[in-house]
Amino acid sequence: MTESTEKVENICDARRRILNIAVSTVLLETGFDAADKVSLETLTEMIQCFITEVGNSARGYCELAGRVEPVLGDVSMALINMGISLQGIEQYAARPSRHIIQPPQQASVPRTPSMLSAGSKAKPAPHIPFHLPPLPDPHAYIRTPTHKQPVTEYEAIREKAATQKRDIERALTKFLSKTSETHNLFNTEDNQVYPLIACKPTFPSYLPALLPTDQVFDFDELEYHFQVANRTEDMPADKKENSDNEGDNGGDNENANNSQSETQDAPLGSSPDRNKSGG
Amino acid sequence: MKKERTGDNCRPFKLAHQILSLTGISFERRSVIGFVELTIVPLKDNLRYIRLNAKQCRIYRVCLNDQYEANFQYFDPFLDICQSDPNTRSLEVFSQFHLAAAQKTDPDHNAGELHIQVPEDAAHLVGEGRGLRIGIEFSLESPQGGMHFVVPEGEGTLTEKSAHMFTYGHTARLWFPCVDSFAEPCTWKLEFTVDESLTAVSCGELLDVVYTPDHRRKTFHYVVNTPACAPNIALAIGPFETYVDPHMNEVTHYCLPHLLQILKNTVRYLHEAFEFYEETLSTRYPYPCYKQVFVDETTDDATAYTTMSILSTHLLHSIAIIDQTYISRKAMAQAVAEQFFGCFITMQNWSDLWLAKGIPDYLCGLYSKKCFGNNEYRYWIHQELQEVMTYEEQFGGIVLDPWQPPASGARVDSKDVFYFPVRNVHTMSPRYIEVMRKKSHLVLRMLEQRIGQELLLQVFNKQLSLATNAANTKIGSGLWGHLLLSTNLFVRAIFTVTGKDMAVFVDQWVRTGGHAKFSLTSVFNRKRNTVELEIRQDCVTERGIRKYVGPLLVQLQELDGTFKHTLQIENTVVKADITCHSKSRRNKKKKIPLCTGEEVDMDLSAMDDSPVLWIRLDPEMSLLRTTVISQPDYQWQYQLRHERDVTAQSEAIDALHNYPGPATRKALTDTIENEQVYYKIRCRAAHCLTKVANAMISLWAGPPAMLTIFRKMFGSFSAPHIIRQNNFDNLHHYFLQKTIPVAMAGLRNIHGICPPEVVRFLLDLFKYNDNSKNHFSDNYYKAALVDALAATITPVISVLQPGAPITADSLSADTKLILEEITRVLNLEKVLPCYKNTITVSCLKAIRRLQQCGHLPSIPTVFRAYAQYGQYIDVRLAAFECLVEFVSVEGRAEDLSALLAVVEGDPSPGVRHRVARALRAAPPFERGARHALDTDQLVHRLWNNMNSQLSNDARLRCDLVDLYYTLYGLKRPLCVPLPEIQAMMKQMHHRERERLERERERMERERERLREVREVELKPIIKQEIVETPIKDELQVGPMLTTDAPTELPVPLTHIKEEDDKIDIISVTDTPMPMFNEVGKREYISDNAAPLPGIPGSAGPIGFEPGMFADRTDLGAPKAKKKKKDKKKHKHKHKHKHSKDRKDRPPPLTPGALRPPSELRLREETRETFSSLSSSQSPSEDISLTTNMSF
């Protein structure tokens, strides 16, 4: 936000400066050697107000005449309406002693962020008049095809997901091994390199092993998958739908939630084919 | 007709009804107070004594008809088995006493521990056919067997801690007085008073649950109306959650708290098993209800009792688990099958055990065929067959029914064959029972092939309907005998139903032990267009093998199709000429028909002019046999590729181990990739390819074996080096995905280490493993990856000075990566445990492997911690395995003592048993090796346990007998000599020393020679290779030895151990090999072979034999052919001499004539020699290693 307002101010500043120069030039022409800052500002303010007024008024006339863009006549009318004589204005403009203000440097146009374009724009149908604006991107009114990621992308994403997962696991186990008792694999005193978290007996010992927590499964989902989805293997379309649905909540693995959301899109593009060959 | 004495008619009374009432069941004190009342019907008027079974119970009062108190005596011979010979320490003597003790209390011999005298004034109560009630009050405290209390430590009430109890085994006498015989069925009334929060599950129908007046306890009343025998009565009490089967409401499942969800999943398909059996046997399920109780700390996965089974809670699994599903489903189906045979119909004598075990196995086999498919079934049968054959060859032929000798033919007395009595189930080795069960199954399956499945099922059906009729009658009808089944009854029933007399079959396979062994060779005769087959049974004199006479099916696959020929085997050598159907015409392109009727294209370029593609013997496994088929490699390859039978494929894979070459590699690769092939075959092919690739390493070009296959199958589409996200929906692929990495990890490059490429590949698998989209848990897969990492580890090549401590810095780069991975996943398991902690189990094994190979210091602290009570059972067992192995390597007495303490007193009976078995499997020292651990204290400790301490746990006792046998053999252990012998030994000692002086001089000379020889040697070669390769191979493929030897270098220690066993067998035969070694040993004694006190000849542990290298070059690979010739000659020449040698070998060198010329001793010695050979892994080191070395 702040950035954009700044830009607006900059633009205003530039215009104001030009006006300032213009006023100063006229003053010089008239014979002043110096001017107070305040008076200069006042004069600038005045001329700005004047120009604004002329512009507004000219637009009024233009619109009144049913046009979109003002023409010279509109400006003349505005000036006349304000009681300003147009007499000699041409001569004045062409006076020999006039100073020419350097045109302001073209401010680099701030780049408007390019629209996210997806797909190729459709050609307008023949019945649509040519002057109407072009059709928007197809995703705005048909659907969004996600594009097949380039080959290297998949690899990178898998790589990233794997690294993230590993980092999280490593951090977790490292933390735990620092904060709990450890076994040492070596005969040395310090146990920094390959510490093994000591095992603690649990009672009853079978519970954690039979009800594992390493992965969270939605058992109803699985039930559905094996009981219903698996029975209709001969209907690949169905199956595809299934597997797509389940992709969203088919159980999240360890702490790698972040990485998952990233990987989600990538493999889907090619997965249906592979699912078929795999299933 | 003389009535034979059987289990059901030997007692002078019949049991009509029994009441069992347990009231004071206390979990805190682990005690039970109870009362039984047996209603017996005397068969004679003058019944003076009644003998019942009761063990570890305290009997307070015995009362007849509630009025007359009777005197009783209690005598349990198991409390001191060798009472009359307390000083004996030999297993031979023990076995006799052991059997005597078992028979002294065997109800089937009208015996028992509890001896009740009918008092004079109550004599009038006894009358033939009049019921007599015997009431017995008893209590039981901290039972050591038969009943188990699981009371977890920690805070909370008993219910919160899921404390529970259950009975285990089939020995009812351990928890209540009874007639502990399978042949004495009766009706039951069972009452159990338990805490209000607990549930008592027992046999029969639940009639009522009544609260006690104070409302703090309740009594469960069960009644069994179908006659059941005491060993089939069971009880489980605990805070169970109950789940009524939604498909069959007469089936109820019980599990411990919090497990209901996975219980529901586990028992999902149980009703299908019921339906299957009812349909197959066309009989209704014989009982009105069925209960499954899942409890902790059981000894077996499933034990079946009347109307209920007690199963291990570790069978439970969620829907996301793959591997466990197969095991659990089979175990439950097995238990249901046992309801029909084993519970409803029981055995008449111990000798009929094979029927009680075999029939349910057979039925369960039919079910699993339906459930898991024909391939799985055949593969399973094949595995069982091999297992049984291996056991028999090691220990002797198993006679399924040893009571009655076969009608014709001499029989080896079974007593002489085994080191334990096989005539009573309480004295049998648990392993024997296991194998016997498998053999029973196989024999029943053979019977099915003889008479047809339908007829066999009709026989079962007839037995069941007879029994069902009998079960509905009262005892007075005298029909309860129909509930029993014996071998004779069975044969008679078969005859009645089918009209076929199976007596010969039974004589041949049930009443005679052992199996047949055929070796087949074939030559194609081009002129006559015949195949000349020669089938030999050479080994008939060997242990566990006997001569077979009868038909034998030979199946030839020719170009024109499959042809079966039945040959009559009448002799040890049978020759047959079989005319080929097809002319040699392989130039014509035509499809080849297979036995299944399919027609396939084959690439016939590998063949020579014989039209035979492959030969199989007894393809349907209709005999108990092992086959050794000699055919050229391309025939094996054709068999692997094109034969549709999984057993044939499996045999082909076994054979192809010996034919490394590009063609074999191609065949195996194609098999792995072929989606049509059964997955277990594909997995085996992968492992075989590992061996083949290692054998042809010098010719190998391109990426490591299987890498391409794996990437093709599992690599992601755009980046093949990254594995896809896991999707285990295709189970075949799942198993391959698990297996291939392990197989690849076995690859070795030319330096004998795992190629770095493979290690990187495995680490990548870890890294990119992503299970987020999978429907299944990947715990077994991850465990397999850890296993694979462990398999890559090879003995360390250390740059450190020997003796320097191993630190984290001294590890090699690869090892560091591996260790980092292992520690990471192991630590992660602490926070996020996976199903059954499979990863931890694999990690422990991997750590041990790192220690074995010298990458980590060999310290057992980690394993000790994981072996503690309170860890998950699988983890504990894995840790114990590591500890046992640790003891056998490091040999410290206190470690062994700690393990024995576990065997004696671990809270979980299953762990006690398993540790004892682990000790037997990896004994702490070799028999007679004069190991430091081989002390008399150990002998006494084991003996004491066997003899008296374990009186209440027959299984553990027999486990220890197994261990004792492994350590000491049948005779008195050497370390506890008889006093008189000890005195003589002192004299011997002196002479021995003199002899050693002389020997040493000679040895110095030998060393000189050895040093020269070693310079010629280029590579370290394991000497053992020669010995290990079966003779058969040498005859066929001489040059193979060269390639084979170096690549086998990094054989893991365990493998070498196994090989030792093989050697043992070979060494007894007449091959010249052992003789060389014997002589060698005699001549060259390593200089640290300490002069031994006594025992001439067995010169103690010799790690390294100076002569071995010299001989290696003589026999070496380049002259393999010559060697063969030499050997043959040698054999003939020295045959006589050799056999003489065996008899009185010591004289030429040993001065003492004291040495007993027993063959057993001889065998021990050769074994010892070989084991020391095998332990010298790297012959380049010039030290003699005395024990198993650590690398």
Side-chain angles (χ1 to χ4, degrees):
Chain A
M1 256 330 268
T2 50
E3 202 182 321
S4 65
T5 49
E6 226 167 70
K7 224 168 233 172
V8 172
E9 271 167 24
N10 276 343
I11 295 166
C12 290
D13 266 10
R15 294 203 176 110
R16 182 98 178 178
R17 213 165 53 238
I18 302 288
L19 277 181
N20 239 328
I21 294 167
V23 170
S24 314
T25 320
V26 172
L27 287 177
L28 272 178
E29 219 174 288
T30 324
F32 290 96
D33 285 334
D36 279 343
K37 178 116 185 161
V38 183
S39 48
L40 188 64
E41 281 297 309
T42 314
L43 285 171
T44 312
E45 192 66 37
M46 281 167 67
I47 195 155
Q48 186 173 349
C49 287
F50 172 77
I51 290 174
T52 312
E53 189 54 38
V54 171
N56 275 336
S57 186
R59 196 180 64 194
Y61 282 109
C62 145
E63 282 173 2
L64 189 66
R67 286 190 302 267
V68 184
E69 266 178 65
V71 295
L72 183 64
D74 294 327
V75 182
S76 312
M77 282 297 282
L79 289 171
I80 290 163
N81 192 38
M82 285 166 77
I84 293 164
S85 159
L86 299 177
Q87 209 76 47
I89 199 164
E90 275 172 53
Q91 286 83 354
Y92 180 73
R95 70 189 183 280
S97 63
R98 72 179 197 276
H99 280 261
I100 291 174
I101 304 167
Q102 288 294 316
Q105 269 203 334
Q106 191 68 39
S108 58
V109 184
R111 274 190 346 131
T112 46
S114 62
M115 299 272 280
L116 177 77
S117 70
S120 51
K121 289 189 180 177
K123 276 184 186 163
H127 65 273
I128 299 173
F130 66 93
H131 61 269
L132 288 178
L135 286 166
D137 286 347
H139 75 88
Y141 60 102
I142 305 176
R143 71 203 154 84
T144 310
T146 43
H147 281 265
K148 202 172 179 181
Q149 298 281 352
V151 180
T152 49
E153 203 92 354
Y154 175 77
E155 197 177 333
I157 285 169
R158 284 298 298 274
E159 175 76 44
K160 195 173 175 192
T163 322
Q164 267 187 7
K165 187 176 156 192
R166 163 157 307 211
D167 286 348
I168 292 168
E169 286 177 4
R170 194 173 286 157
L172 178 67
T173 51
K174 201 167 182 183
F175 170 72
L176 286 169
S177 62
K178 288 252 162 76
T179 50
S180 57
E181 268 187 55
T182 53
H183 293 307
N184 193 349
L185 286 173
F186 298 93
N187 279 322
T188 47
E189 288 298 312
D190 66 323
N191 188 15
Q192 294 301 310
V193 197
Y194 299 107
L196 286 181
I197 303 174
C199 52
K200 285 188 224 71
T202 47
F203 294 100
S205 58
Y206 55 84
L207 273 186
L210 292 182
L211 304 171
T213 50
D214 60 335
Q215 290 162 72
V216 182
F217 287 105
D218 181 348
F219 287 109
D220 296 335
E221 184 82 45
L222 289 183
E223 195 93 345
Y224 173 78
H225 177 78
F226 294 123
Q227 300 300 307
V228 185
N230 258 14
R231 306 270 152 160
T232 55
E233 261 173 340
D234 39 356
M235 293 151 70
D238 251 6
K239 191 154 190 255
K240 221 185 281 179
E241 248 176 52
N242 263 329
S243 61
D244 281 357
N245 289 341
E246 274 154 11
D248 300 332
N249 47 5
D252 46 347
N253 197 357
E254 271 103 318
N255 302 311
N257 273 336
N258 292 342
S259 56
Q260 256 172 48
S261 56
E262 281 184 52
T263 50
Q264 206 121 61
D265 289 343
L268 264 183
S270 51
S271 73
D273 298 334
R274 283 196 318 228
N275 272 357
K276 242 186 277 168
S277 68
Chain B
M1 178 185 154
K2 185 180 162 262
K3 204 173 177 198
E4 51 186 325
R5 190 182 143 97
T6 55
D8 54 332
N9 63 17
C10 66
R11 279 174 295 279
F13 59 85
K14 296 295 303 174
L15 190 58
H17 185 68
Q18 183 163 357
I19 297 172
L20 167 63
S21 163
L22 297 186
T23 46
I25 301 172
S26 157
F27 278 85
E28 287 86 0
R29 281 180 286 122
R30 298 172 198 241
S31 66
V32 169
I33 300 170
F35 168 78
V36 291
E37 186 187 85
L38 298 94
T39 307
I40 62 166
V41 183
L43 296 177
K44 55 182 187 183
D45 286 332
N46 55 346
L47 183 66
R48 309 297 302 153
Y49 299 102
I50 300 163
R51 293 189 188 87
L52 297 179
N53 296 112
K55 248 172 125 97
Q56 75 179 345
C57 303
R58 182 174 298 162
I59 312 273
Y60 296 108
R61 206 163 91 100
V62 177
C63 212
L64 301 182
N65 274 7
D66 297 333
Q67 293 170 11
Y68 301 95
E69 201 161 313
N71 284 333
F72 61 90
Q73 288 163 351
Y74 185 82
F75 167 63
D76 184 0
F78 283 102
L79 290 174
D80 189 358
I81 292 172
C82 298
Q83 199 176 14
S84 51
D85 188 1
N87 288 326
T88 184
R89 288 293 177 268
S90 96
L91 211 48
E92 278 175 326
V93 183
F94 180 82
S95 280
Q96 288 166 18
F97 285 118
H98 200 186
L99 181 63
Q103 284 177 343
K104 258 184 249 171
T105 55
D106 188 354
D108 292 346
H109 287 78
N110 185 27
E113 294 89 350
L114 191 62
H115 194 87
I116 300 168
Q117 258 178 314
V118 180
E120 285 299 320
D121 49 347
H124 67 278
L125 295 178
V126 180
E128 194 179 333
R130 274 197 295 156
L132 172 68
R133 287 181 292 122
I134 309 167
I136 304 171
E137 288 167 27
F138 68 97
S139 76
L140 197 63
E141 261 178 62
S142 312
Q144 292 172 308
M147 182 184 264
H148 183 56
F149 287 87
V150 182
V151 187
E153 298 162 16
E155 305 279 296
T157 63
L158 288 173
T159 317
E160 283 165 11
K161 290 191 292 183
S162 310
H164 58 282
M165 61 83 75
F166 58 92
T167 61
Y168 65 94
H170 281 291
T171 323
R173 67 182 91 172
L174 288 170
W175 57 290
F176 66 94
C178 59
V179 180
D180 194 11
S181 162
F182 278 98
E184 198 60 72
C186 69
T187 52
W188 294 78
K189 170 91 183 65
L190 306 157
E191 300 168 9
F192 306 102
T193 308
V194 298
D195 261 9
E196 188 256 333
S197 58
L198 302 176
T199 312
V201 188
S202 186
C203 303
E205 287 165 279
L206 180 63
L207 280 193
D208 208 355
V209 183
V210 183
Y211 275 87
T212 51
D214 60 357
H215 273 265
R216 298 233 304 268
R217 294 152 73 78
K218 50 187 181 182
T219 308
F220 287 78
H221 292 270
Y222 284 93
V223 60
V224 185
N225 287 322
T226 315
C229 50
N232 277 334
I233 299 297
L235 167 69
I237 299 172
F240 297 122
E241 294 188 18
T242 311
Y243 174 59
V244 177
D245 199 289
H247 299 278
M248 305 178 82
N249 52 14
E250 57 269 52
V251 178
T252 321
H253 313 280
Y254 299 88
C255 68
L256 293 164
H258 313 298
L259 299 173
L260 190 60
Q261 164 104 44
I262 54 174
L263 173 77
K264 283 181 185 168
N265 175 59
T266 311
V267 302
R268 181 191 303 269
Y269 292 109
L270 187 69
H271 64 99
E272 285 185 5
F274 272 100
E275 283 156 18
F276 177 82
Y277 294 136
E278 289 195 343
E279 214 167 284
T280 313
L281 297 167
S282 39
T283 315
R284 295 283 303 166
Y285 171 68
Y287 298 113
C289 61
Y290 181 63
K291 285 149 282 183
Q292 282 192 323
V293 194
F294 290 88
V295 294
D296 193 19
E297 299 187 2
T298 54
T299 48
D300 296 292
D301 272 353
T303 325
Y305 303 94
T306 305
T307 77
M308 75 182 286
S309 310
I310 293 184
L311 301 107
S312 164
T313 195
H314 309 295
L315 291 179
L316 299 176
H317 59 85
S318 75
I319 197 167
I321 305 297
I322 298 174
D323 302 43
Q324 181 65 37
T325 312
Y326 296 90
I327 303 165
S328 299
R329 228 177 258 183
K330 207 164 175 180
M332 289 188 291
Q334 169 96 28
V336 175
E338 286 189 36
Q339 292 297 315
F340 292 89
F341 286 91
C343 294
F344 184 56
I345 293 187
T346 57
M347 54 195 166
Q348 201 173 31
N349 291 297
W350 282 127
S351 57
D352 310 317
L353 187 67
W354 74 279
L355 284 170
K357 300 275 183 202
I359 298 178
D361 266 21
Y362 170 72
L363 292 174
C364 177
L366 293 184
Y367 175 68
S368 48
K369 180 151 76 173
K370 180 201 166 228
C371 194
F372 305 125
N374 192 36
N375 279 343
E376 172 86 27
Y377 177 70
R378 286 189 71 91
Y379 192 77
W380 177 43
I381 297 289
H382 191 238
Q383 298 289 91
E384 279 202 340
L385 186 64
Q386 281 182 336
E387 203 178 320
V388 173
M389 302 301 100
T390 317
Y391 183 87
E392 285 199 333
E393 280 172 29
Q394 195 180 352
F395 293 99
I398 293 175
V399 184
L400 294 179
D401 180 356
W403 254 246
Q404 204 179 342
S408 60
R411 184 177 63 115
V412 191
D413 195 359
S414 55
K415 258 191 240 164
D416 296 336
V417 175
F418 289 98
Y419 55 90
F420 49 86
V422 293
R423 296 173 80 86
N424 192 296
V425 83
H426 297 295
T427 60
M428 287 181 200
S429 156
R431 185 135 169 263
Y432 176 85
I433 298 178
E434 234 167 68
V435 179
M436 178 184 166
R437 180 173 193 137
K438 289 181 177 155
K439 187 169 179 183
S440 315
H441 175 201
L442 293 172
V443 168
L444 274 166
R445 201 184 141 272
M446 285 160 60
L447 194 61
E448 175 210 76
Q449 288 173 331
R450 303 289 191 285
I451 64 175
Q453 193 193 74
E454 214 162 299
L455 287 174
L456 184 62
L457 290 174
Q458 273 178 33
V459 173
F460 295 156
N461 174 273
K462 178 176 177 259
Q463 290 302 314
L464 283 169
S465 40
L466 273 177
T468 315
N469 285 336
N472 293 327
T473 59
K474 294 261 176 280
I475 177 133
S477 65
L479 288 174
W480 284 6
H482 288 309
L483 291 167
L484 309 177
L485 188 60
S486 73
T487 313
N488 286 335
L489 283 172
F490 188 60
V491 174
R492 222 171 294 150
I494 294 175
F495 184 70
T496 334
V497 172
T498 66
K500 285 179 191 163
D501 188 8
M502 280 290 128
V504 176
F505 174 83
V506 170
D507 277 348
Q508 199 168 21
W509 298 111
V510 178
R511 294 194 169 122
T512 319
H515 60 268
K517 184 167 188 170
F518 303 110
S519 43
L520 177 139
T521 47
S522 64
V523 180
F524 175 64
N525 188 326
R526 196 180 315 163
K527 275 183 196 152
R528 295 167 53 211
N529 194 31
T530 54
V531 179
E532 296 168 11
L533 294 182
E534 189 185 63
I535 298 172
R536 306 177 69 93
Q537 301 184 63
D538 291 332
C539 320
V540 286
T541 49
E542 278 175 30
R543 189 184 285 179
I545 296 172
R546 67 184 171 80
K547 194 174 145 189
Y548 169 78
V549 175
L552 176 69
L553 189 67
V554 180
Q555 188 173 307
L556 290 186
Q557 173 69 42
E558 297 179 33
L559 291 172
D560 269 359
T562 313
F563 299 98
K564 292 181 177 174
H565 306 273
T566 309
L567 302 182
Q568 277 301 324
I569 303 293
E570 279 151 0
N571 232 321
T572 46
V573 181
V574 171
K575 289 188 180 171
D577 284 8
I578 295 177
T579 313
C580 291
H581 294 73
S582 6
K583 286 274 176 207
S584 291
R585 20 134 259 181
R586 63 199 161 95
N587 293 333
K588 286 181 199 161
K589 277 276 176 204
K590 204 183 158 194
K591 290 195 169 182
I592 292 162
L594 297 179
C595 57
T596 50
E598 292 167 87
E599 298 203 332
V600 293
D601 279 320
M602 289 187 203
D603 173 22
L604 299 174
S605 52
M607 289 178 71
D608 60 8
D609 50 359
S610 157
V612 177
L613 286 164
W614 64 82
I615 304 172
R616 297 182 62 200
L617 267 188
D618 186 27
E620 293 304 314
M621 296 178 284
S622 54
L623 300 174
L624 294 175
R625 85 301 187 263
T626 44
T627 54
V628 181
I629 298 174
S630 316
Q631 53 182 348
D633 56 348
Y634 59 84
Q635 293 196 356
W636 287 118
Q637 286 151 10
Y638 283 129
Q639 180 168 338
L640 174 61
R641 280 168 190 269
H642 299 297
E643 172 62 59
R644 293 291 188 252
D645 184 2
V646 288
T647 58
Q649 293 169 351
S650 162
E651 277 162 12
I653 289 175
D654 285 340
L656 285 175
H657 276 120
N658 302 322
Y659 300 100
T664 301
R665 175 177 64 185
K666 185 84 176 58
L668 289 169
T669 315
D670 290 348
T671 307
I672 299 172
E673 284 181 319
N674 190 346
E675 293 287 328
Q676 306 293 320
V677 176
Y678 178 52
Y679 77 93
K680 284 191 179 166
I681 296 294
R682 294 168 79 184
C683 294
R684 288 205 43 199
H687 282 293
C688 181
L689 185 55
T690 309
K691 300 245 171 65
V692 169
N694 286 346
M696 49 190 291
I697 189 66
S698 49
L699 311 169
W700 197 274
M706 289 175 278
L707 188 64
T708 333
I709 302 177
F710 192 86
R711 292 212 163 133
K712 200 154 77 191
M713 289 181 73
F714 305 108
S716 47
F717 179 66
S718 55
H721 64 282
I722 295 179
I723 188 171
R724 284 202 294 251
Q725 291 180 303
N726 291 339
N727 178 9
F728 296 159
D729 280 350
N730 183 333
L731 293 178
H732 286 200
H733 286 183
Y734 163 69
F735 285 110
L736 273 178
Q737 195 179 345
K738 268 189 355 175
T739 307
I740 293 181
V742 183
M744 283 176 68
L747 293 172
R748 298 290 179 260
N749 64 12
I750 216 146
H751 308 293
I753 59 168
C754 188
E757 211 175 344
V758 171
V759 179
R760 237 176 301 125
F761 162 75
L762 290 174
L763 291 172
D764 271 356
L765 289 186
F766 271 100
K767 183 174 169 189
Y768 293 116
N769 182 37
D770 181 353
N771 207 43
S772 53
K773 297 247 167 51
N774 202 353
H775 297 124
F776 294 102
S777 167
D778 64 345
N779 64 316
Y780 288 100
Y781 171 63
K782 281 199 225 158
L785 288 185
V786 176
D787 286 341
L789 275 191
T792 61
I793 299 162
T794 41
V796 69
I797 303 156
S798 182
V799 286
L800 296 170
Q801 302 115 339
I806 305 169
T807 60
D809 305 325
S810 59
L811 300 177
S812 71
D814 267 355
T815 316
K816 274 181 184 161
L817 288 175
I818 290 172
L819 189 57
E820 191 177 328
E821 208 55 55
I822 289 171
T823 45
R824 190 179 60 83
V825 291
L826 185 53
N827 283 339
L828 203 60
E829 271 262 279
K830 295 291 181 308
V831 230
L832 302 165
C834 71
Y835 180 71
K836 284 196 158 188
N837 296 353
T838 45
I839 298 175
T840 304
V841 169
S842 296
C843 285
L844 288 179
K845 287 179 183 157
I847 290 175
R848 181 65 202 139
R849 173 95 190 128
L850 281 167
Q851 293 187 350
Q852 280 172 340
C853 292
H855 297 280
L856 290 180
S858 196
I859 41 180
T861 38
V862 180
F863 306 118
R864 284 203 197 116
Y866 280 95
Q868 291 298 319
Y869 185 60
Q871 298 295 326
Y872 185 65
I873 176 81
D874 290 0
V875 175
R876 292 192 73 195
L877 291 174
F880 275 123
E881 253 165 52
C882 295
L883 284 174
V884 166
E885 198 270 339
F886 179 79
V887 166
S888 68
V889 173
E890 303 287 320
R892 281 210 291 269
E894 63 269 23
D895 293 332
L896 180 59
S897 170
L899 283 175
L900 286 178
V902 169
V903 172
E904 287 158 10
D906 194 82
S908 164
V911 169
R912 296 199 287 258
H913 167 66
R914 297 285 288 274
V915 173
R917 285 190 74 165
L919 276 171
R920 191 202 54 75
F925 52 86
E926 294 287 325
R927 187 189 301 173
R930 305 233 142 234
H931 194 272
L933 288 176
D934 191 359
T935 60
D936 52 344
Q937 288 102 319
L938 181 65
V939 175
H940 295 316
R941 184 171 184 176
L942 289 176
W943 186 266
N944 194 24
N945 278 320
M946 277 156 46
N947 191 37
S948 53
Q949 296 296 316
L950 296 171
S951 63
N952 296 324
D953 193 342
R955 173 142 105 165
L956 192 55
R957 185 174 61 233
C958 294
D959 279 328
L960 284 187
V961 172
D962 282 357
L963 176 61
Y964 197 86
Y965 174 74
T966 318
L967 295 181
Y968 305 113
L970 279 175
K971 307 283 183 212
R972 192 179 173 89
L974 293 175
C975 59
V976 273
L978 287 169
E980 51 268 36
I981 292 190
Q982 215 162 6
M984 276 190 271
M985 275 178 180
K986 270 189 189 144
Q987 279 189 333
M988 287 297 310
H989 188 97
H990 189 65
R991 272 188 243 169
E992 177 77 8
R993 197 181 287 164
E994 281 175 11
R995 187 179 66 84
L996 279 171
E997 285 297 316
R998 289 199 303 275
E999 296 286 316
R1000 195 163 293 156
E1001 275 173 38
R1002 189 182 317 176
M1003 206 172 51
E1004 281 304 312
R1005 291 199 297 275
E1006 273 310 317
R1007 290 227 152 178
E1008 281 302 324
R1009 192 164 72 94
L1010 172 73
R1011 225 162 278 146
E1012 292 163 20
V1013 169
R1014 184 146 337 113
E1015 283 165 13
V1016 184
E1017 287 275 329
L1018 286 174
K1019 274 186 213 129
I1021 292 165
I1022 298 184
K1023 161 75 180 110
Q1024 203 196 340
E1025 282 306 313
I1026 307 175
V1027 189
E1028 184 221 12
T1029 321
I1031 305 297
K1032 158 184 82 88
D1033 287 348
E1034 286 170 22
L1035 293 176
Q1036 284 171 4
V1037 275
M1040 209 201 79
L1041 281 171
T1042 33
T1043 49
D1044 203 6
T1047 48
E1048 278 288 320
L1049 213 155
V1051 244
L1053 207 60
T1054 43
H1055 286 205
I1056 298 175
K1057 283 260 177 63
E1058 285 166 21
E1059 282 149 16
D1060 283 356
D1061 294 346
K1062 278 184 232 156
I1063 294 157
D1064 191 30
I1065 295 165
I1066 297 168
S1067 64
V1068 200
T1069 62
D1070 264 3
T1071 52
M1073 230 47 202
M1075 187 170 132
F1076 147 69
N1077 276 297
E1078 282 155 21
V1079 173
K1081 201 184 99 195
R1082 206 123 308 284
E1083 284 175 357
Y1084 318 123
I1085 303 246
S1086 127
D1087 53 0
N1088 68 346
L1092 295 168
I1095 306 303
S1098 68
I1102 301 167
F1104 192 79
E1105 308 231 349
M1108 61 194 275
F1109 289 104
D1111 235 276
R1112 176 73 180 97
T1113 39
D1114 286 352
L1115 296 173
K1119 296 177 198 162
K1121 264 209 169 144
K1122 199 184 157 200
K1123 178 185 109 192
K1124 189 180 96 189
K1125 256 187 205 162
D1126 278 349
K1127 270 174 101 174
K1128 270 193 176 161
K1129 238 192 215 163
H1130 186 75
K1131 198 167 169 178
H1132 290 301
K1133 214 169 151 187
H1134 296 283
K1135 203 162 190 177
H1136 175 66
K1137 194 180 158 195
H1138 182 64
S1139 55
K1140 203 177 89 194
D1141 251 16
R1142 283 160 66 103
K1143 269 188 214 132
D1144 45 9
R1145 196 167 42 82
L1149 286 161
T1150 38
L1154 240 173
R1155 203 172 175 289
S1158 84
E1159 191 177 324
L1160 181 94
R1161 177 71 56 77
L1162 176 77
R1163 205 150 55 222
E1164 278 172 26
E1165 273 179 26
T1166 46
R1167 184 195 178 93
E1168 168 197 309
T1169 318
F1170 275 93
S1171 72
S1172 50
L1173 277 177
S1174 69
S1175 65
S1176 51
Q1177 272 269 303
S1178 43
S1180 51
E1181 289 172 53
D1182 197 7
I1183 31 165
S1184 350
L1185 297 155
T1186 45
T1187 52
N1188 281 323
M1189 52 180 291
S1190 51
F1191 301 102

